[in-house]
Amino acid sequence: MAKIIDGKMTSTAVREKIKRDVSKFTEETGKTPGLAVVIVGENPASQVYVRNKHKACGEVGIYSEVHELPESINEDELLALIDKLNSDKKINGILVQLPLPKHLDEEKVLLRIDPNKDVDAFHPVNVGKIMIGNFSFLPCTPAGVMELLKHYEINTSGRHCVIIGRSNIVGKPQAMLMLKENATVTICHSKTENLADITKQADILVAAVGRANFVKADMVKEGATVIDVGINRNAEGKLCGDVDFNEVEPIASYITPVPGGVGPMTITMLLKNTLTAAKEQYK
Ligand code: NAD
């Protein structure tokens, strides 16, 4: 039976610390860290994420504003808003909620964000800094995974970490963060051959695939730590991860549930990045 890595509890503990740090920062500088979230269109999932981010900011004392733009907005108008936020002194972090509607060039929009305010760490300047291990911000989801491991005192040094998924948002930065913590890292993806042979070697297995119940018991080594980043709906419409929890839980030593594992950590790391951005900008 695996120990459950409780993302909600960990997230609460980390947010309490962030709240104390924000309060100390405000006392010392007379400034309040500020986050601007930009959402285009009416994607219901994105609207929920944005509402949760706004609420979480309020709970730890971070000022936040939400810019809700109609689906019909053109690229120049969106870029003009980003320019305005880039030079707005009360805004330390800018986040553009993805995905954007098809007629907007995501890369162009993300490139326009001042790297010092890029609290999602998607700008190539920040991606490059992560590659050389000298960074201000870490992408929120992989950073949340590292925070969970730290909280549960799960050692990464010298251990084999296998990551399934090579996206720019999760898989690749996750590999860099694991490497920085001295893990031996293997990245698997949709073209990987004999996937189970590789995943079975993992001391720490991170699944970031986006397919419900993809990781089965015969893909996991006895006693492995299993981190499930996936957020999917199963055939019954129920929220589930990439890992078949019922099959894998009996053989893992630690496992994250979905929901309640990695998910709650993502917004927490955004709060942390916003405070870091404010500290750097008011230094
Ligand atoms: P993505 O679609 O960009 O990447 C999926 C990756 O899985 C790809 O690199 C692909 O090569 C790999 N893959 C697909 N099929 C495979 C197969 N058969 N075998 C091996 N690898 C395969 O997705 P993403 O943005 O990285 O997100 C992955 C999952 O994580 C999704 O479910 C997403 O909803 C979730 N997610 C969760 C959070 C969070 O806050 N918890 C944040 C971001 C993403």
Side-chain angles (χ1 to χ4, degrees):
M1 276 251 300
K3 279 197 188 137
I4 305 298
I5 298 180
D6 185 338
K8 270 195 204 149
M9 190 199 69
T10 311
S11 170
T12 303
V14 178
R15 284 188 200 193
E16 273 162 16
K17 161 101 172 63
I18 295 171
K19 189 175 175 181
R20 289 194 298 275
D21 290 348
V22 167
S23 161
K24 185 163 171 267
F25 171 81
T26 302
E27 261 169 44
E28 285 171 4
T29 63
K31 312 276 186 196
T32 304
L35 174 73
V37 180
V38 179
I39 174 169
V40 183
E42 293 184 0
N43 177 327
S46 293
Q47 286 172 325
V48 172
Y49 289 138
V50 167
R51 263 203 304 278
N52 289 344
K53 286 168 185 172
H54 184 57
K55 184 165 165 262
C57 281
E59 284 166 0
V60 299
I62 292 177
Y63 165 77
S64 73
E65 54 187 41
V66 177
H67 295 263
E68 288 175 278
L69 307 175
E71 179 110 18
S72 59
I73 195 163
N74 68 40
E75 207 164 85
D76 287 343
E77 290 170 303
L78 178 56
L79 294 176
L81 171 64
I82 291 174
D83 288 344
K84 195 164 143 255
L85 295 171
N86 278 341
S87 52
D88 185 338
K89 290 264 184 294
K90 68 178 182 305
I91 297 301
N92 307 110
I94 302 169
L95 181 149
V96 176
Q97 186 66 43
L98 301 178
L100 288 173
K102 295 240 172 329
H103 67 283
L104 300 168
D105 182 343
E106 257 177 32
E107 198 184 337
K108 198 166 167 189
V109 172
L110 296 179
L111 271 171
R112 194 67 160 246
I113 297 173
D114 178 346
N116 296 310
K117 295 191 176 186
D118 168 40
V119 283
D120 253 340
F122 291 162
H123 193 288
V125 166
N126 288 319
V127 175
K129 283 183 169 183
I130 292 161
M131 279 291 285
I132 58 174
N134 170 23
F135 43 76
S136 308
F137 313 122
L138 294 176
C140 299
T141 301
V145 169
M146 301 313 288
E147 193 70 38
L148 283 175
L149 295 175
K150 194 171 120 197
H151 200 85
Y152 280 83
E153 298 179 343
I154 296 167
N155 182 32
T156 49
S157 183
R159 302 183 78 203
H160 189 188
C161 172
V162 176
I163 298 162
I164 322 176
R166 58 172 163 183
S167 72
N168 290 334
I169 296 177
V170 188
K172 282 190 220 163
Q174 190 71 72
M176 287 302 125
L177 301 196
M178 287 288 182
L179 203 53
K180 183 152 197 307
E181 294 306 321
N182 301 315
T184 301
V185 182
T186 303
I187 306 179
C188 300
H189 49 79
S190 54
K191 301 283 187 286
T192 297
E193 292 177 4
N194 306 320
L195 181 67
D197 290 347
I198 301 169
T199 58
K200 265 168 105 165
Q201 295 172 33
D203 300 309
I204 301 170
L205 180 62
V206 180
V209 187
R211 288 175 64 172
N213 301 325
F214 178 82
V215 176
K216 300 288 183 189
D218 62 4
M219 297 169 71
V220 179
K221 179 168 81 174
E222 182 101 32
T225 292
V226 180
I227 306 288
D228 191 351
V229 179
I231 303 177
N232 315 293
R233 298 261 168 205
N234 65 13
E236 293 84 52
K238 215 174 131 225
L239 207 63
C240 69
D242 289 344
V243 176
D244 188 327
F245 187 89
N246 292 335
E247 269 199 18
V248 173
E249 185 271 337
I251 55 170
S253 61
Y254 287 89
I255 190 166
T256 60
V258 177
V262 175
M265 294 303 290
T266 298
I267 295 184
T268 301
M269 302 322 284
L270 172 70
L271 303 173
K272 193 171 175 183
N273 280 349
T274 305
L275 174 61
T276 302
K279 283 182 178 168
E280 299 266 317
Q281 286 160 41
Y282 291 123
K283 207 157 56 183

